[in-house]
């Protein structure tokens, strides 16, 4: 599972509908893999940041290549890449956030 897949599943709560498509239960829409690229698209990355804020993380950007979510710091060549890297770090380091807190919000 790559970064984008992990973020879609564990932060956004999307379910894999087909090998190339996600289903967003909150909005009731299908999202193709090619239509969700948070490392390249700042709007997609900011959607991830907004969801993390809903889950209790405070987002702070320091310039165009460094971000913080609470104590988690990440960098990237772009702001979108930095947000994606930070979100993935949260997934790797805290399984509790992606499961119990997310499911409380979704249910």
């Amino acid at each position: 599972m790559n970064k984008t897949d992990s973020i879609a599943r564990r932060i956004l709560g999307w379910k894999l509908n087909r090998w190339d498509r996600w289903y967003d239960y909150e909005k009731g829409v299908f999202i193709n893999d090619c239509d969700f690229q948070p490392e390249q698209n700042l709007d997609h990355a900011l959607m991830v940041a907004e969801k993390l804020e809903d889950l209790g993380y405070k987002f702070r950007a320091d310039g165009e290549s460094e971000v913080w979510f609470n104590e988690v710091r990440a960098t990237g060549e772009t702001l979108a890449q930095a947000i994606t890297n930070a979100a993935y770090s949260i997934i790797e380091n805290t399984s509790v956030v992606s499961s119990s807190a997310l499911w409380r919000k979704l249910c």
Side-chain angles (χ1 to χ4, degrees), residues 1-106:
M1 192 178 318
N2 64 33
K3 286 182 191 179
T4 302
D5 290 339
S6 295
I7 290 168
R9 285 182 187 210
R10 297 180 72 190
I11 292 176
L12 298 176
W14 296 352
K15 302 298 177 208
L16 194 60
N17 178 261
R18 284 190 334 209
W19 64 272
D20 66 342
R21 183 171 73 182
W22 298 97
Y23 184 70
D24 180 349
Y25 284 96
E26 288 181 359
K27 296 179 182 171
V29 296
F30 293 98
I31 301 102
N32 290 319
D33 273 351
C34 62
D35 294 333
F36 180 64
Q37 301 296 322
E39 283 190 286
Q40 291 85 30
N41 187 311
L42 183 57
D43 289 336
H44 298 170
L46 290 174
M47 179 175 62
V48 173
E50 184 178 312
K51 185 65 171 187
L52 284 169
E53 285 184 320
D54 290 345
L55 294 171
Y57 286 86
K58 184 179 177 199
F59 172 69
R60 179 171 52 103
D62 289 338
E64 290 294 318
S65 62
E66 181 180 30
V67 298
W68 292 83
F69 285 100
N70 293 352
E71 72 283 345
V72 177
R73 175 189 170 271
T75 60
E77 291 180 20
T78 64
L79 185 57
Q81 196 174 62
I83 291 169
T84 303
N85 290 340
Y88 190 68
S89 291
I90 290 170
I91 290 169
E92 286 184 317
N93 295 323
T94 55
S95 62
V96 173
V97 169
S98 60
S99 58
S100 62
L102 176 62
W103 288 111
R104 276 196 303 268
K105 292 280 185 180
L106 293 176

